[in-house]
Amino acid sequence: MITAQNINWRVRKKIILQNIDFSLQKGELAGLVGPNGSGKSSLLKILSFLQRPTSGTIQFQGMPVGNRVSIDIRRKIAVVFQEPLLFNTTVFENVASGLKMRRTPKDEIRLLCETWLNRFGVGHVIEQHARSLSGGEAQRVSLARAFVLDPDVLFLDEPFSALDAPAKESLVTDLQSILQTTGTTTVLVSHDYRDILRLANRALVMQNGRLIADGAPLALLNHPPNEQVADFLRHWRNFPETVDNPFVYLQP
């Protein structure tokens, strides 16, 4: 789906990303994780074509992408940020916005919006104004707005970090079920390794603008490949993945 080679990004004299090689296969759920300032959100912006790298090449579905990204490519991706960034209008108009730009028939728009809002448990707010929503409701609407477009690749940039613990747990559970059902190719950025354990089948650890590890989430947790990764993951060894409870302790 995406191949990035030798990606570097500098802002003035500051190095943000350096020598990044990254590939994403269809159906993969890749989690970018690392401490604050490690470059994970910056890499997501470049992979989603919201930012151009200083140097390096990117291919999308086998085709090189230059400085000008085509509308066709942009229509194949969707991005959800930490803040929902909803428009100042109703929930329905928010979720329908992308479909209207694609000139989808009105009846189909209504059906798709209702379907995805219901799947995220917020079908009852369809006629409410976006500003009346709670934080959890707003993020669910933002995710529905992304999924309604049936993207080839979905980018999630810290989508849970602004939520309180109950709202986050509920949303993570629902999103986990939806991603398993749809098989949507996804890149998830998080500073919380528990999110990666729950949602991703691949973990990439970043530090100081570099990728320092790439592997199965639980395997990296149990067998970190180097001291940098071990130091970062040491805290999360108390929170391994299980099917029923992601918060039990690892066995020695």
Side-chain angles (χ1 to χ4, degrees):
M1 299 295 284
I2 298 176
T3 302
Q5 294 181 309
N6 197 28
I7 297 298
N8 294 274
W9 184 26
R10 297 189 180 198
V11 177
R12 298 183 179 89
K13 293 183 178 181
K14 184 178 181 180
I15 298 174
I16 308 298
L17 298 172
Q18 48 186 329
N19 303 324
I20 298 287
D21 290 322
F22 173 85
S23 63
L24 183 71
Q25 304 301 318
K26 184 176 181 179
E28 214 167 26
L29 278 76
L32 294 176
V33 66
N36 291 335
S38 60
K40 51 191 185 295
S41 291
S42 297
L43 180 56
L44 179 140
K45 289 177 182 177
I46 285 175
L47 295 175
S48 60
F49 309 112
L50 296 176
Q51 176 66 49
R52 288 186 297 176
T54 305
S55 62
T57 61
I58 301 179
Q59 292 186 347
F60 185 83
Q61 295 180 335
M63 300 297 294
V65 179
N67 291 335
R68 299 184 64 181
V69 182
S70 69
I71 293 177
D72 180 59
I73 289 178
R74 293 200 180 277
R75 285 182 171 181
K76 292 180 178 181
I77 65 177
V79 186
V80 176
F81 296 99
Q82 176 179 343
E83 296 295 330
L85 302 178
L86 299 179
F87 302 130
N88 185 22
T89 183
T90 66
V91 167
F92 171 75
E93 291 297 332
N94 268 277
V95 180
S97 57
L99 296 172
K100 288 183 176 181
M101 292 178 65
R102 299 180 182 187
R103 299 185 179 181
T104 305
K106 288 184 178 180
D107 291 347
E108 187 176 346
I109 289 176
R110 188 75 189 188
L111 178 60
L112 286 169
C113 289
E114 289 177 348
T115 297
W116 279 104
L117 286 168
N118 284 329
R119 291 191 73 173
F120 277 101
V122 286
H124 60 287
V125 303
I126 189 169
E127 300 300 341
Q128 286 185 214
H129 198 283
R131 289 186 175 178
S132 71
L133 303 176
S134 68
E137 288 173 336
Q139 196 61 290
R140 286 171 179 271
V141 170
S142 182
L143 285 162
R145 183 173 61 181
F147 274 93
V148 78
L149 299 174
D150 190 24
D152 287 4
V153 183
L154 174 66
F155 294 92
L156 305 175
D157 190 4
E158 299 275 10
F160 317 119
S161 60
L163 304 180
D164 60 30
K168 174 180 176 177
E169 174 58 23
S170 176
L171 181 53
V172 169
T173 298
D174 289 346
L175 181 59
Q176 182 180 30
S177 175
I178 288 169
L179 287 172
Q180 288 174 349
T181 301
T182 62
T184 305
T185 305
T186 304
V187 177
L188 167 67
V189 165
S190 180
H191 64 277
D192 189 335
Y193 203 71
R194 288 170 294 182
D195 298 341
I196 308 303
L197 289 168
R198 290 282 296 276
L199 296 171
N201 51 36
R202 176 185 175 197
L204 298 99
V205 183
M206 296 194 68
Q207 192 171 85
N208 298 325
R210 294 178 178 271
L211 285 174
I212 61 172
D214 182 353
L218 197 56
L220 285 184
L221 191 66
N222 283 324
H223 306 288
N226 55 56
E227 288 188 8
Q228 289 176 299
V229 177
D231 286 342
F232 174 72
L233 295 180
R234 185 171 290 116
H235 172 69
W236 306 113
R237 283 189 58 82
N238 290 339
F239 303 101
E241 178 187 37
T242 68
V243 174
D244 298 318
N245 181 4
F247 305 114
V248 297
Y249 284 82
L250 276 180
Q251 296 298 318

